[in-house]
Amino acid sequence: MLFTSANFLLFLLGLFALYQIVPQKYRWAALLLGSMAFYAFAGPAFLIYICTTIIVTYFCTMRMRRVWEKCDVLIAATNDREERRQLKQAAKAASRRWMITALVVIVGLLAMVKYTDFVIANTNALLVWVGVDRSFGFMRFALPMGISFYTFQTIGYLVDVHRQKSKSLTNPLKLALFVSFFPQVVQGPISRFEPLAETLYSGESLNRTHLSRGGMRVLIGFFKKLVIADRLWPALAVLTTYPEEYRGAFYLFSIGLYAVILFMDFTGGIDITIGVAEMFGVKLPENFNRPFYSRSIQEYWTRWHITMYTWFRDYLFYPMTLSKGMLRATKFARRTLGDGFGKRIPVHLSLLWVWFLTGLWHGATWNFIAWGLANGIVIMLAQEFTPLKNKFHTRFDTAKTNRIFIAAQIFWTFWLMNMIRSFDIYVGVRNTFGMMASVFTDFGLRDFLTRGVSELTLYTSDYLAAGAGILVIFWISYLGRGDVDFRDRLSTRFSWPARYAVVGLLLFMTLVLGAYGYDYEARQFIYNQF
């Protein structure tokens, strides 16, 4: 069910009515019913996967709960410090076994549907390469909606229960709601259990404040998606479908256009997600913080898809870096390569491994793996050049505040990120590198200026409409500077007639300039495929 469809709006109205008439202590059950109905709409068979994840997670976390409860009872019965330590170690080991059991099943489900054909394709290619006249058939599993997102959210819950950072839910239906909450199941954000649980089960009544603030956020999401992302997409489709015709300057235009489309599509979807949740009084974490103002790739990833970045950092990078095996590797590297560089080798290896998995999480193709490794390599090189950067800032201490220097950093980061992101839109790693090289070997500025962008299925009016939309979003982003919610700044700096005028303008532009209507093929959100 597409967020920007009439069906979704009708679904919301029905759920609002059900939610409001149900007693407060059961309103979370209304959200669960709505979430399961929403997921079933995408494909009833997909319920098998998400319900399996819920059942296995519930069973294993309950076993982990009993392990720790028994440990607490035994510890309370003894004053021997060594015995207490042994009891904790035994409980931790038992809890880890149940956690691993759950992880094997739910990660196995994700791997089965998402990566089986990727493994088969590469196995077949390897057999051809070694001269074996045999191949395996593809399984062609249908990819359940949002499986990567709810799987990662569930993994976080399992690990937190094992670490005793979260208490396991004794009600399986409440766990089901946490895993399947319908606004975020499509494309995130990836929530942590404790913060989300504070509002997810509270059953707050629908009220004017939540409806108006959430509705404003939803409207902006519709605006980004329909007025900008979907209107510009046909041009990008032409550019990337025929890469041999659109090289050099056209390549730069393509990756710049994709940056705009992806930002508007992804953040628009997250705006709708957070806005719908807010209408029900549920608070979801923010996923973006003006990423195009970043001065480095590392900073960019603290501003873009924040919940994914922090998930990989907290549940993979830190545990891997601090593991016993990596600590031993650090000692070995320091002995053989020197204290300075040697101690950074294990960190770099962990970084590259995590970014490899990040790329693989995005998609089962070598393009996404190359994308992930490219991010990791750039961040690793930036860390290696940090001492040189510090020396530069020591000598030119005004550079940090110089606007021209800051603008140059932002410009460089934006285009470097665009080039890395081109692995998203071109088929084949070799082809993508060829498109990058065309900037230097076949720029074709005259061809670009002569042909322009008029032949890319869009009219001048389309570019003007999208451009006007971008200016509106830039103004909204400016209102939200300094970690202040733009709606708060709007309410404090503008009178109520001006606020209604802003909402009216957004609604009018969405209805008049939005890409939708008869004979129009609505596009699903880009991150829905993950």
Side-chain angles (χ1 to χ4, degrees), residues 126-174:
L126 180 62
L127 291 174
V128 171
W129 185 70
V130 299
V132 177
D133 186 18
R134 183 182 177 183
S135 63
F136 297 96
F138 292 103
M139 302 301 295
R140 305 194 186 283
F141 290 109
L143 189 64
M145 178 179 67
I147 186 171
S148 294
F149 289 99
Y150 74 69
T151 298
F152 271 34
Q153 184 159 303
T154 305
I155 291 172
Y157 170 71
L158 279 164
V159 175
D160 286 347
V161 170
H162 168 67
R163 294 174 177 173
Q164 294 187 288
K165 290 185 176 180
S166 294
K167 287 190 175 182
S168 56
L169 283 167
T170 57
N171 188 329
L173 296 181
K174 286 190 174 183

Side-chain angles (χ1 to χ4, degrees), residues 322-339:
L322 299 175
S323 66
K324 293 181 179 179
M326 196 58 72
L327 292 176
R328 287 195 296 268
T330 301
K331 292 180 180 179
F332 175 79
R334 292 174 72 172
R335 286 197 307 267
T336 56
L337 299 174
D339 190 61

Side-chain angles (χ1 to χ4, degrees), residues 223-236 257 261 264-265 456-469 509-516 520 523:
F223 183 88
K224 289 178 177 178
K225 174 68 172 170
L226 298 178
V227 177
I228 305 173
D230 283 3
R231 183 165 291 281
L232 293 176
W233 180 265
L236 181 67
L257 184 65
I261 291 173
M264 296 300 172
D265 186 283
L456 304 178
T457 74
L458 296 183
Y459 299 105
T460 302
S461 58
D462 292 310
Y463 292 107
L464 291 175
M509 291 182 69
T510 302
L511 294 175
V512 174
L513 303 179
Y516 65 94
Y520 175 78
R523 288 194 67 258

Side-chain angles (χ1 to χ4, degrees), residues 316-362:
L316 277 180
F317 179 74
Y318 285 160
M320 187 181 302
T321 306
L322 299 175
S323 66
K324 293 181 179 179
M326 196 58 72
L327 292 176
R328 287 195 296 268
T330 301
K331 292 180 180 179
F332 175 79
R334 292 174 72 172
R335 286 197 307 267
T336 56
L337 299 174
D339 190 61
F341 182 66
K343 68 180 180 182
R344 297 195 298 274
I345 289 292
V347 176
H348 293 333
L349 291 176
S350 299
L351 181 71
L352 291 176
W353 175 244
V354 168
W355 275 105
F356 167 81
L357 293 177
T358 304
L360 195 61
W361 175 81
H362 275 78

Side-chain angles (χ1 to χ4, degrees), residues 464-507:
L464 291 175
I470 291 171
L471 290 177
V472 171
I473 296 302
F474 180 82
W475 177 70
I476 290 174
S477 174
Y478 178 75
L479 284 181
R481 68 193 184 279
D483 295 329
V484 176
D485 193 306
F486 73 92
R487 294 167 297 183
D488 294 332
R489 189 163 271 145
L490 190 67
S491 63
T492 56
R493 293 198 175 186
F494 295 86
S495 61
W496 70 264
R499 295 197 297 272
Y500 278 97
V502 170
V503 174
L505 176 64
L506 286 170
L507 181 60

Side-chain angles (χ1 to χ4, degrees), residues 258 355-375 421 423-426 429 526-527 529-530:
Y258 180 60
W355 275 105
F356 167 81
L357 293 177
T358 304
L360 195 61
W361 175 81
H362 275 78
T365 67
W366 285 106
N367 270 58
F368 280 118
I369 292 172
W371 169 87
L373 290 175
N375 277 284
R421 200 187 281 118
F423 287 106
D424 290 11
I425 55 176
Y426 292 103
V429 175
I526 293 173
Y527 262 74
Q529 64 184 304
F530 302 126

Side-chain angles (χ1 to χ4, degrees), residues 21 111 144 183 187 219 229 238 241 257 269 328 338 360 366 378 393 409 515:
I21 63 176
Q187 56 185 348
L219 177 58
V238 173
T241 303
L257 184 65
R328 287 195 296 268
L360 195 61
W366 285 106
V378 169
H393 284 300
Q409 288 180 303

